[in-house]
Amino acid sequence: MEIEHLSVHFPINIGTVRAVDDVNWELRQGEVMGLVGESGCGKSTLGFSILRLLRPPGKIVQGRILYKGRDIVRMPEREILELRGKRIAMIFQDPLTSLNPLFRIDQHFIETLLAHEKGLTRKDAYRRAEEMLESLGISPEKLTEYPHQLSGGMRQRIMIGLGLILGPDLLIADEPTTALDVIVEAQFLDLLADLQKRYHLTIILITHNLGNVAQLADRITVMYGGSIAEVGEAGDIFENPLHPYTQGLLASIPNIKLDQPKLKTMPGSPPDLVDPPQGCVFHPRCPHAMEVCRVKKPGLVKRNGRLISCWLYG
């Protein structure tokens, strides 16, 4: 997948929220891409844009999203409906609000399968749902239960199953561990890693949790203020972050191995995306800000095998 000059705006009473601002991005087949940044940086909006799931008044105002050479932005609605679930699937943040409380678990699976695979019988759809649940470590007996009868971890596994039941190439996981406790979260990440290898999935993992990214991701994209700050191999970014925002993000993680009396913080607050700062959107909080940073927005440049948007690197 290639994203070219993508901008997503939300017109509101006081102006226009520039949630995603001129983003250029590439996703390689078979990789796990970690998409990280503070709340409101645009990472979830980017994920929803890929499936054209933006809620009004949000809209894509410019750019292309090329999936296997086809532009998702300009696809007719009929083709988008075929794409969702079958080629690109999404795991949402809170499974309890994503699953229909009036449907049993089997009804969720059967409805998904019958909507995309014409000629499939309900009996065959039920059998495939049983096989999917068994592969996720859940008893097929749970198919007859309702979402509220399942634990948080089990509901999240059901969401994964619904995402994988049609055999997609790309899975977008939007904060998939938010509602889980630490033990269940670890089990969930192990399961996701196993499924990625078993089904040869490409995964976009949208998260605040840098520990999750360190465990799963091959590459990392760091977003700030609707723009991409840095893209690189996961090991390289953790070992030697280049962008000042990435450096601050990693420095703010508590280290239990060090005698650290105070947590490190970044000064200031995330930018107002209705009226973002001129020039580099990070410059009001940046310890290395120069005059050019205040007047001109940097583009993405290649440095040491990475993409970085910062005037320190040209």
Side-chain angles (χ1 to χ4, degrees):
M1 177 174 287
E2 293 179 39
I3 294 177
E4 300 175 351
H5 302 290
L6 183 71
S7 293
V8 179
H9 291 178
F10 288 78
I12 57 174
N13 292 337
I14 59 172
T16 298
V17 178
R18 296 168 176 83
V20 174
D21 187 20
D22 196 28
V23 162
N24 292 280
W25 197 48
E26 180 187 50
L27 188 65
R28 301 169 186 164
Q29 187 170 352
E31 75 175 348
V32 179
M33 171 68 84
L35 189 54
V36 302
E38 292 170 291
S39 293
C41 71
K43 54 189 187 297
S44 290
T45 301
L46 182 60
F48 280 105
S49 299
I50 291 171
L51 278 174
R52 294 241 308 261
L53 286 173
L54 293 169
R55 291 183 178 180
K59 57 183 178 181
I60 297 171
V61 296
Q62 73 166 25
R64 302 198 299 167
I65 302 172
L66 300 175
Y67 172 69
K68 296 186 176 179
R70 301 171 63 203
D71 186 5
I72 290 174
V73 174
R74 288 161 184 82
M75 274 185 188
E77 190 64 25
R78 179 181 55 79
E79 292 183 30
I80 285 291
L81 290 174
E82 292 176 1
L83 186 77
R84 291 183 191 136
K86 197 159 189 177
R87 294 288 172 258
I88 304 174
M90 193 164 191
I91 303 173
F92 297 97
Q93 191 170 46
D94 185 358
L96 191 56
T97 58
S98 300
L99 296 168
N100 190 324
L102 302 179
F103 278 17
R104 296 192 312 266
I105 300 303
D106 63 336
Q107 292 172 289
H108 286 84
F109 281 98
I110 291 169
E111 181 184 55
T112 300
L113 286 163
L114 296 184
H116 288 271
E117 299 188 11
K118 307 303 180 186
L120 188 70
T121 65
R122 294 183 69 86
K123 183 178 179 180
D124 287 339
Y126 191 92
R127 179 181 51 78
R128 281 176 57 181
E130 287 182 316
E131 292 171 356
M132 177 56 69
L133 257 62
E134 286 179 340
S135 74
L136 296 170
I138 301 175
S139 169
E141 295 173 359
K142 297 295 182 182
L143 282 170
T144 58
E145 296 188 358
Y146 290 87
H148 72 273
Q149 295 177 286
L150 307 178
S151 67
M154 203 170 287
R155 284 194 293 264
Q156 195 59 283
R157 287 177 181 237
I158 295 296
M159 289 299 298
I160 293 180
L162 286 168
L164 296 180
I165 194 71
L166 294 169
D169 305 313
L170 171 60
L171 185 66
I172 304 171
D174 183 23
E175 299 281 2
T177 61
T178 298
L180 306 180
D181 61 55
V182 176
I183 302 300
V184 177
E185 178 183 56
Q187 295 171 346
F188 173 82
L189 292 173
D190 289 340
L191 174 64
L192 201 58
D194 177 62
L195 292 171
Q196 191 264 336
K197 292 174 184 174
R198 194 189 313 170
Y199 293 101
H200 308 290
L201 286 170
T202 304
I203 297 176
I204 300 173
L205 179 62
I206 301 170
T207 182
H208 296 95
N209 193 322
L210 292 169
N212 293 350
V213 171
Q215 182 175 339
L216 281 179
D218 301 305
R219 288 198 301 152
I220 296 174
T221 297
V222 181
M223 288 191 71
Y224 182 81
S227 301
I228 288 178
E230 185 170 356
V231 183
E233 300 294 325
D236 293 340
I237 283 184
F238 277 104
E239 188 174 324
N240 181 31
L242 296 180
H243 196 283
Y245 175 65
T246 311
Q247 293 169 0
L249 203 62
L250 292 174
S252 66
I253 301 173
N255 190 332
I256 61 173
K257 295 182 180 179
L258 299 177
D259 182 12
Q260 196 173 11
K262 295 182 71 175
L263 292 175
K264 293 184 180 180
T265 60
M266 277 185 281
S269 302
D272 177 1
L273 295 182
V274 173
D275 184 23
Q278 186 180 353
C280 174
V281 73
F282 184 62
H283 88 256
R285 305 174 72 185
C286 181
H288 309 292
M290 304 175 288
E291 186 58 33
V292 67
C293 305
R294 297 178 175 87
V295 296
K296 190 174 180 182
K297 182 178 179 178
L300 282 172
V301 296
K302 287 189 177 182
R303 285 292 181 275
N304 302 327
R306 266 180 269 183
L307 291 172
I308 182 168
S309 177
C310 181
W311 286 116
L312 289 172
Y313 301 94

